Amino acid sequence: QLQLQESGPGLVKPSETLSLTCTVSGGSISSTFYYWGWIRQPPGKGLEWIGSIYYSGITYYNPSLESRVTISVDTSKNQFSLKLTSVTAADTAVYYCARPAVTGFPYNWFDPWGQGTLVTVSS
Amino acid sequence: DIVMTQSPDSLAVSLGERATINCKSSQSVLHRPSNMNHLAWYQQKPRQPPKVLIYWASTRDSGVPDRFSGSGSGTDFTLTISNLQAEDAAVYYCQQYYKTPLTFGGGTKVEIK
């Protein structure tokens, strides 16, 4: 059964870079043809798609974050990662990694999701 | 961007009654060549990730009780929960996957009256 697990610092200072990793178990990133995604949810608010990456490195980003976001993949570790630069308090959120339901297609719903990790931006 | 607008923001429904949640997209999410609506519904309970209930606007995911149903086409969609159970108390989101950026509705909180 495929499982995703986010990891990374829970506290980041303003203006610094948020870095998170999603480790995939129960399946291989490189042998399946999915666009792996990052989604975030500020406390008490709704969901925002950050971006998605194909195993080959092709990326799609939300234009609202594109200037600050980099998503990368490390197939040797079966992981994909998120970097968000110049963070502010508005970037405080639970960050989820997720796999889309349909292969080879960036336009997808997500299933399954990781449990999420809360990242707080504060000095 | 396609803006997804849900209504109401919240509703309280008695056990065994019906809950109806609406989702409107700012442009059509109907893919005409396939005649498929690129619209999914999720349920989220506190401290849990969203769980997909319905995709292609009306296809229930495996294991989802048949009291959950989705309908609509183009820009107007509805999630109906019939015979509401206590475990259905949650926040529900719609999501369009017609084009990027993928976007979600603001959520509808369903409470038990």
Side-chain angles (χ1 to χ4, degrees), chain A residues 39 41 45-49 52 60-64 96 102 105-111 113-116, chain B residues 1 38 40 42 44 47-52 55-56 61 93 95 97-106:
Chain A
I39 301 105
Q41 184 173 36
K45 296 187 178 179
L47 299 157
E48 180 180 33
W49 174 74
S52 297
Y60 288 81
Y61 295 135
N62 192 323
S64 68
Y96 295 100
V102 178
F105 201 57
Y107 312 107
N108 244 292
W109 66 97
F110 291 98
D111 179 41
W113 296 56
Q115 282 300 306
Chain B
D1 297 8
H38 290 212
Y42 297 87
Q44 186 179 32
R47 293 170 296 284
Q48 294 184 20
K51 170 192 169 186
V52 66
Y55 49 87
W56 301 126
D61 195 31
Y93 295 94
Q95 180 221 331
Y97 49 95
Y98 183 77
K99 62 193 297 187
T100 58
L102 309 177
T103 49
F104 296 83

Side-chain angles (χ1 to χ4, degrees), chain A residues 16-66:
Chain A
E16 295 190 346
T17 297
L18 178 160
S19 297
L20 295 175
T21 296
C22 181
T23 300
V24 178
S25 59
S28 170
I29 284 180
S30 58
S31 64
T32 56
F33 307 109
Y34 292 98
Y35 278 84
W36 304 84
W38 286 99
I39 301 105
R40 70 179 183 178
Q41 184 173 36
K45 296 187 178 179
L47 299 157
E48 180 180 33
W49 174 74
I50 299 170
S52 297
I53 188 164
Y54 199 48
Y55 79 99
S56 63
I58 297 171
T59 52
Y60 288 81
Y61 295 135
N62 192 323
S64 68
L65 297 167
E66 187 164 14

